[in-house]
Amino acid sequence: MFGNLDILAPDPILGVTAAFRRDSNPGKVDLGVGVYRDELGNTPVPAAIREAEREMLAGQASKTYVGPAGNPEFNERIVALALGPQAVRLRERTAVIQTVGGCGALRLGAELVRASAPDAVIHVSDPTWANHEPLVGTSGLALRRYPYYDPATRGVAFERMLDHLGRLPAGELVLLHVCCHNPTGADLDLAQWSAVGEVLERRGLVPYLDLAYQGFGDDLETDVAGLRMLAERLPTLLLAISCSKNFGLYRERAGALAVVAENAATARAVETHQARTARRMYSMPPDHGAAIAAHVLGDERLRQAWQRELAAMVARMKALRALLAGRLAARRPDRDFSWLERHRGMFSLLGLDPAGITALREEEHVYMPPDGRINVAGVSEANVDRVADSLVRVIDRR
Ligand SMILES: Cc1ncc(COP(=O)(O)O)c(C=O)c1O
């Protein structure tokens, strides 16, 4: 039956983790993972999440099925967290389904688009998260890239991006990272979001917004200001939400797909298609993580406690960015490392070629995926000098 299947090359990101585990060097450093890490290298469950989990379980009378759309309280609260005041205004025009993490939302959204517009094209940023193209493209939709990152400035190539979007035909989709762009760390500022909103509106383009890091850039409100601007302005949008990073719920697979449609009747039709698509693929989403997130968001005390923990994670990531930039600048005062501090979230691109990435791994035991994306949460007070020395040695050789 399965004799025709060859062994596949490892996933570029998961492959790095496996190679790191095999390395017996005690000084090895993993900058490749896509998860938050504390000073000890652990990915903790926030205390507020643990407490919510205990309370949620104590009050759970049954584990009977919840239905393809998942937990209605979770759906309402998670969309309200993302859209803020816009959520109330758009409620009738919004169709929400709980999904298997943010990945499940991205895939389900693509399936919905294909059901309605099989010839639609989705434009993703160049570069984008390595899993976007497989997740969205496997639905059968055509994928193309729009210019996004300028390696020279380490910021957004905004003129080229805007010019490109300004030439796209009506009805095509533009996948945008709401904040903490993965892998570059370079985000749009508010004026740029406004200009993007204007182009999308003028050209009749549909934003497909990936929200995987709300609260990981600056805070829960600032990070979604661009998203809310688009929601105010545009008739239709898709929003894929992940609770993996900000709630620390990674393996519980909690997320949601919200579709804002032109009118309430279309939103009700979208809901039926969301449910049918889920039913055909996996029937229903897992409950546990979404029930925890719903509980946290519905309880003011737990919500405040969770927000404080989230703020501490962000403060740590910003401090690590400053620490690493400072240590690199001290070693190479002739070079500019200030971009590390300008970027938001966990990721930045190092800008090394593949040979440099290989040298870091094989000679320095410092690990990252082939695109040179580093996770600043993999840096710590304890390893920052070792990381800075390794990076400078490899940079100097190039
Ligand atoms: C840009 C981006 N989108 C979506 C996701 C989806 O995450 P999950 O499916 O774990 O919720 C991730 C996770 O790494 C991500 O980085």
Side-chain angles (χ1 to χ4, degrees):
M1 180 59 161
F2 299 112
N4 291 331
L5 302 182
D6 296 326
I7 293 178
L8 296 171
D11 175 280
I13 296 178
L14 303 182
V16 177
T17 310
F20 176 78
R21 284 207 190 106
R22 284 195 300 272
D23 187 338
S24 57
N25 188 296
K28 64 183 179 176
V29 181
D30 184 5
L31 301 182
V33 287
V35 302
Y36 175 78
R37 292 228 165 125
D38 65 14
E39 182 63 25
L40 299 174
N42 299 320
T43 303
V45 184
I49 299 297
R50 270 197 196 286
E51 195 178 337
E53 184 170 39
R54 274 195 298 273
E55 290 184 8
M56 184 276 287
L57 280 176
Q60 191 175 63
S62 170
K63 289 200 185 282
T64 187
Y65 294 121
V66 286
N71 178 331
E73 286 176 343
F74 168 78
N75 289 346
E76 187 174 334
R77 290 171 190 168
I78 205 70
V79 171
L81 184 71
L83 294 181
Q86 297 297 325
V88 181
R89 187 180 69 82
L90 297 171
R91 178 177 282 142
E92 284 304 303
R93 286 170 43 208
T94 308
V96 196
I97 184 167
Q98 185 191 317
T99 55
V100 183
C103 289
L106 285 163
R107 178 56 185 272
L108 205 135
E111 295 290 337
L112 276 183
V113 170
R114 197 181 52 129
S116 181
D119 298 327
V121 176
I122 300 192
H123 299 265
V124 299
S125 64
D126 184 17
T128 197
W129 178 42
N131 211 14
H132 269 151
E133 288 177 341
L135 266 177
V136 175
T138 314
S139 67
L141 292 170
L143 281 193
R144 302 214 181 102
R145 290 187 164 215
Y146 61 85
Y148 185 78
Y149 182 66
D150 182 352
T153 64
R154 309 227 185 210
V156 179
F158 192 63
E159 292 305 316
R160 283 197 289 132
M161 172 182 175
L162 209 60
D163 181 61
H164 190 94
L165 299 184
R167 293 163 201 260
L168 298 181
E172 302 207 332
L173 291 105
V174 182
L175 200 154
L176 296 154
H177 302 224
V178 175
C179 59
C180 309
H181 187 272
N182 183 358
T184 69
D187 283 350
L188 298 172
D189 64 28
L190 269 192
Q192 291 171 331
W193 273 109
S194 171
V196 166
E198 191 274 319
V199 169
L200 296 179
E201 187 179 31
R202 178 161 47 81
R203 302 294 302 177
L205 300 168
V206 177
Y208 194 163
L209 295 142
D210 184 356
L211 180 54
Y213 297 96
Q214 184 177 3
F216 252 51
D218 287 302
D219 57 66
L220 286 167
E221 299 292 308
T222 310
D223 290 356
V224 289
L227 159 69
R228 290 180 185 174
M229 236 180 211
L230 296 194
E232 194 170 349
R233 180 164 206 163
L234 295 164
T236 305
L237 61 84
L238 289 93
L239 173 62
I241 303 174
S242 164
C243 300
S244 300
K245 315 288 153 87
N246 51 5
F247 288 88
L249 283 168
Y250 306 87
R251 68 171 67 160
E252 301 295 356
R253 314 305 299 131
L257 173 75
V259 174
V260 176
E262 297 91 280
N263 54 56
T266 306
R268 300 295 79 77
V270 170
E271 273 168 0
T272 63
H273 282 264
Q274 284 174 329
R276 190 177 71 173
T277 310
R279 188 94 177 119
R280 286 180 174 176
M281 290 200 288
Y282 55 83
S283 188
M284 294 172 204
D287 176 66
H288 194 79
I292 296 169
H295 191 67
V296 170
L297 294 174
D299 180 302
E300 198 45 38
R301 187 184 58 83
L302 286 174
R303 189 184 174 116
Q304 296 289 338
W306 165 65
Q307 277 183 225
R308 280 194 298 275
E309 287 179 85
L310 190 54
M313 288 193 246
V314 175
R316 188 178 122 74
M317 287 185 281
K318 287 186 175 174
L320 287 172
R321 286 185 172 282
L323 186 69
L324 182 59
R327 299 293 163 95
L328 287 167
R331 284 161 175 79
R332 288 295 307 271
D334 55 315
R335 288 181 79 122
D336 175 26
F337 295 101
S338 62
W339 46 271
L340 264 169
E341 291 185 76
R342 281 198 300 279
H343 290 162
R344 282 290 169 274
M346 295 193 288
F347 307 119
S348 281
L349 279 185
L350 217 47
L352 282 175
D353 59 13
I357 312 287
T358 307
L360 273 173
R361 188 177 64 238
E362 290 179 358
E363 295 161 34
E364 305 288 342
H365 306 274
V366 174
Y367 286 75
M368 64 197 62
D371 61 359
R373 183 191 82 173
I374 58 164
N375 179 352
V376 293
V379 179
S380 65
E381 292 271 359
N383 71 19
V384 64
D385 283 311
R386 150 116 180 67
V387 169
D389 284 337
S390 297
L391 294 184
V392 164
R393 267 197 293 273
V394 172
I395 289 169
D396 277 346
R397 267 196 277 140
R398 318 212 75 77

